[in-house]
Amino acid sequence: MTGSGRSNTPPAGATWGDLAQGDEESPKVAERTKTRRWIVELLRWSSALFLLSTLAQAVLAGLFVTGEVDLLMWHDVNAQINSSVLLVVLLATILLWRPARASSWPFWITLALVTIVEIQKTLGYLRSVSFHIILGVLIFGMASVLTWWAFGYQLPPQRAKARKK
């Protein structure tokens, strides 16, 4: 802290060049925070949908194994939906990481999930059930962690503009 009561570092996501003299927050920083909010909401709801779709995959597979052969088609359809939703999650993590300057680890987890889901689908089509089940459990665990993080993520608090004297 300096003698004026101000921090020696700019607000989260800003550079000193972004700040206007006498203001704690410039319009550019405020816009970045607004932009982050919709990205976080997109990540929250798409990751929750991916988690629910992954759970539905397990339910459909379990019912298929008990003799409901028609559910294999629904398992395949849901796998395609699951992959599509995961691409939305990937897009949200890219947007949160790069333009919004949040942590990069959700992107890397999601990229790993995309790879594992594609391997999972291939193993399913090859009828390699033992590895298919193991990867399914891994996918559900990773999706749970990502969703838990997304709903727990807090945007940095907006700073009130400094009063001009």
Side-chain angles (χ1 to χ4, degrees):
M1 298 284 280
T2 62
S4 66
R6 287 186 152 163
S7 170
N8 288 330
T9 59
T15 63
W16 283 117
D18 292 339
L19 299 176
Q21 278 191 317
D23 286 342
E24 285 293 323
E25 189 174 312
S26 72
K28 190 173 183 180
V29 175
E31 184 63 31
R32 188 175 295 140
T33 303
K34 186 191 291 185
T35 300
R36 272 183 144 185
R37 184 162 284 114
W38 75 264
I39 295 170
V40 170
E41 290 300 318
L42 177 64
L43 178 60
R44 285 176 178 165
W45 296 108
S46 61
S47 65
L49 186 58
F50 176 72
L51 181 62
L52 288 174
S53 177
T54 303
L55 179 62
Q57 282 296 87
V59 170
L60 290 169
L63 291 172
F64 166 72
V65 171
T66 62
E68 295 287 333
V69 180
D70 295 336
L71 292 178
L72 185 60
M73 179 199 63
W74 287 106
H75 186 69
D76 182 40
V77 168
N78 193 46
Q80 302 310 318
I81 293 169
N82 200 346
S83 293
S84 299
V85 171
L86 186 55
L87 291 178
V88 174
V89 175
L90 183 65
L91 175 66
T93 59
I94 290 170
L95 292 173
L96 190 63
W97 172 37
R98 298 312 303 174
R101 297 188 177 151
S103 178
S104 68
W105 77 262
F107 165 74
W108 295 110
I109 291 288
T110 307
L111 188 60
L113 266 170
V114 169
T115 304
I116 294 168
V117 164
E118 291 307 311
I119 293 169
Q120 168 81 341
K121 286 171 34 180
T122 302
L123 289 173
Y125 293 134
L126 294 174
R127 305 283 192 252
S128 180
V129 177
S130 58
F131 291 118
H132 188 72
I133 292 171
I134 291 168
L135 282 182
V137 172
L138 178 64
I139 290 167
F140 188 78
M142 290 174 73
S144 298
V145 168
L146 185 63
T147 304
W148 171 78
W149 178 83
F151 276 92
Y153 179 75
Q154 297 292 317
L155 289 169
Q158 287 186 323
R159 294 180 180 214
K161 289 192 176 188
R163 293 182 186 160
K164 295 189 179 188
K165 296 180 180 183

